[in-house]
Amino acid sequence: IITLTTPMVGNYGVPDRKKMDKFGLPAMFESYKIHASGLIVQDYAHHYSHWKAASSLGDWLKEEGIPGLCDIDTRMLTKKIREKGAMVGRIEVDENAPAPDFTQIGNPNINRHMVSEVSTKEIKTYGKGNPIKIMGVDCGMKYNMIRLLVDRGCELTIVP
């Protein structure tokens, strides 16, 4: 779950997710999906206005099935996280659900191989034929790393 402390979020909107760059990657994004399990903000702008925006942040979160919360004192939440360290969190969206028994909620990060969740599933090569050969081990590699290396003359092979 990501908590943003910036005063307002969403006023820029989200660029077109279908627009691809010359490498076949989403042009304005660093990954093929949202990897966070939730977003918490203080003030959400329901109206966006940026010339590259194609939709709202809320629409994108909804498409990806990611819950978002607003009107939360994120500075106080961040202060608590700084004092206590990283904590297991959960966003409940069903108002009619019974209160959860927090003693029964386990750590979702135990017995999980998180690198495999963000890594490519197959070997991919970009910049085929370029003179400098690089192998990238994908542990959550951002798309811009691919773009920059290939634009600088590298043949980049990405492996899981």
Side-chain angles (χ1 to χ4, degrees), residues 66-86:
I66 308 296
L69 293 175
C70 64
D71 300 324
I72 304 294
D73 185 350
T74 56
R75 292 179 189 262
M76 180 58 75
L77 178 57
T78 300
K79 186 176 178 183
K80 287 184 181 201
I81 293 169
R82 284 184 183 146
E83 289 171 358
K84 299 183 184 279

Side-chain angles (χ1 to χ4, degrees), residues 7 44 57 90 100 121 134-135 137-138 143:
Y44 175 71
L57 173 61
R90 182 167 151 172
K121 306 300 178 231
I134 295 178
M135 179 182 292
V137 179
D138 185 0
Y143 286 158

